[in-house]
């Protein structure tokens, strides 16, 4: 099924050989909560990064829609992490009274550790995470449809996630520009344009000149030639 394309926009951005100057750009930070509209109103969840106006390229870049690669340092506790171990679903093992008493004491000690202990565990979990790469499409600007007064960077990672990842480290390799931001007469037109942006990103990044080498080779895909080492080091 073809996507609506009222403006006859191209599905491929840039030459097959890869990004052209001034791209690629780099951006990184911890994922923060945004406006809360991506999932609720658009059905397109976004991850927000703080925009540092002191960063020269962000300050000078046109507002609009960009695409490229995102890496997330997903902790081992996140269901999408390659380090994730699914909790056992087998029936609980019956313990002897002494074993049960020891386990109860351990749980009590853990609870007595309070918030500080929980924060330490979260920090260790986060630090032991592993960078994972995904294609992405992002908006940098004010989003005229919503009349934002603060410039934001909203990233839509092209993948299915079983849980959110607020506070997770994110790195972006921005490889190209799709279009200028614009206002819309209604929500449906905005959603249709975003879906088309996502398809532009997928098809453009599938070419070997645009695909990062660090993804490896999967069946039916070309080996990438783009250096994405910064995303995972």
């Amino acid at each position: 099924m073809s996507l609506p394309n009222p403006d006859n926009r191209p599905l491929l951005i840039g030459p097959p050989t890869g990004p052209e100057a001034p791209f690629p750009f780099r951006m990184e930070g911890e994922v923060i909560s945004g406006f809360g509209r991506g999932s609720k109103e658009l059905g397109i969840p976004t991850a927000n990064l703080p925009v540092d106006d002191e960063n020269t390229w962000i300050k000078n870049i046109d507002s609009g829609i960009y695409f490229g690669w995102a890496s997330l340092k997903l902790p081992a506790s996140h269901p999408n992490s390659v380090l994730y171990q699914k909790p056992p679903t087998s029936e609980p093992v019956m313990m002897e009274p002494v074993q049960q008493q020891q386990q109860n004491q351990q749980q009590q000690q853990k609870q007595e550790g309070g918030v500080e202990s929980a924060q330490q565990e979260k920090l260790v979990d986060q630090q032991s995470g592993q960078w994972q790469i995904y294609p992405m499409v992002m908006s940098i600007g004010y989003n005229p449809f919503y009349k934002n007064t603060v410039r934001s960077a909203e990233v839509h990672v092209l993948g299915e996630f079983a849980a959110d990842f607020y506070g997770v480290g994110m790195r972006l390799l921005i490889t190209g520009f799709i279009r200028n931001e614009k206002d819309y007469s209604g929500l449906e037109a905005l959603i249709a344009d975003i879906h088309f942006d996502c398809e532009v990103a997928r098809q453009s990044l599938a070419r070997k000149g645009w695909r990062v080498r660090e993804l490896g080779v999967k069946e039916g895909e070309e080996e990438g030639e783009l250096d994405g080492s910064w995303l995972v080091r």
Side-chain angles (χ1 to χ4, degrees):
M1 182 178 178
S2 60
L3 294 172
N5 185 12
D7 297 327
N8 294 315
R9 294 199 282 131
L11 272 169
L12 294 176
I13 300 294
T17 50
E20 296 181 302
F23 297 99
F25 293 124
R26 295 177 180 180
M27 186 176 183
E28 66 179 320
E30 287 189 357
V31 176
I32 59 176
S33 59
F35 301 104
R37 297 185 296 242
S39 295
K40 294 178 182 177
E41 295 185 23
L42 306 177
I44 303 168
T46 57
N48 288 55
L49 286 181
V51 174
D52 181 4
D53 287 334
E54 297 303 315
N55 185 316
T56 304
W57 73 260
I58 293 179
K59 184 178 181 179
N60 297 331
I61 203 170
D62 291 337
S63 294
I65 310 302
Y66 295 80
F67 72 103
W69 299 98
S71 63
L72 295 167
K73 195 172 186 181
L74 295 175
S77 60
H78 194 283
N80 287 84
S81 171
V82 294
L83 304 174
Y84 179 72
Q85 295 183 354
K86 189 175 181 180
T89 56
S90 57
E91 292 295 325
V93 178
M94 295 298 295
M95 295 184 180
E96 295 294 330
V98 175
Q99 291 177 308
Q100 185 65 57
Q101 184 178 3
Q102 291 175 340
Q103 186 184 68
N104 291 341
Q105 289 175 343
Q106 291 172 351
Q107 290 176 344
Q108 183 177 357
Q109 291 172 353
K110 186 175 181 181
Q111 290 173 353
E112 289 174 352
V115 176
E116 183 177 350
S117 177
Q119 290 176 338
Q120 289 175 343
E121 286 186 13
K122 183 178 180 181
L123 180 61
V124 171
D125 185 36
Q126 199 75 310
Q127 291 175 338
S128 63
Q130 184 167 318
W131 292 103
Q132 296 174 213
I133 302 175
Y134 302 88
M136 67 84 186
V137 62
M138 69 181 298
S139 167
I140 298 178
Y142 297 93
N143 199 330
F145 182 76
Y146 286 107
K147 308 297 188 292
N148 294 349
T149 58
V150 177
R151 203 163 192 240
S152 65
E154 300 177 69
V155 183
H156 176 48
V157 182
L158 300 179
E160 298 291 332
F161 292 89
D164 63 44
F165 39 82
Y166 292 127
V168 166
M170 173 183 274
R171 291 177 179 171
L172 302 177
L173 190 68
I174 303 166
T175 57
F177 177 75
I178 296 179
R179 63 176 175 85
N180 293 311
E181 65 178 359
K182 60 181 181 179
D183 202 350
Y184 294 89
S185 58
L187 197 61
E188 289 186 2
L190 169 60
I191 293 173
D193 243 7
I194 294 175
H195 282 299
F196 195 84
D197 296 334
C198 293
E199 191 60 26
V200 170
R202 288 189 186 95
Q203 294 203 25
S204 296
L205 294 171
R207 298 169 294 176
K208 65 180 182 179
W210 295 77
R211 182 178 172 83
V212 289
R213 292 192 295 264
E214 289 67 21
L215 279 174
V217 182
K218 296 181 181 179
E219 186 177 352
E221 295 177 340
E222 291 186 295
E223 182 177 4
E225 297 179 344
L226 185 63
D227 180 10
S229 57
W230 175 79
L231 292 167
V232 294
R233 68 166 181 249

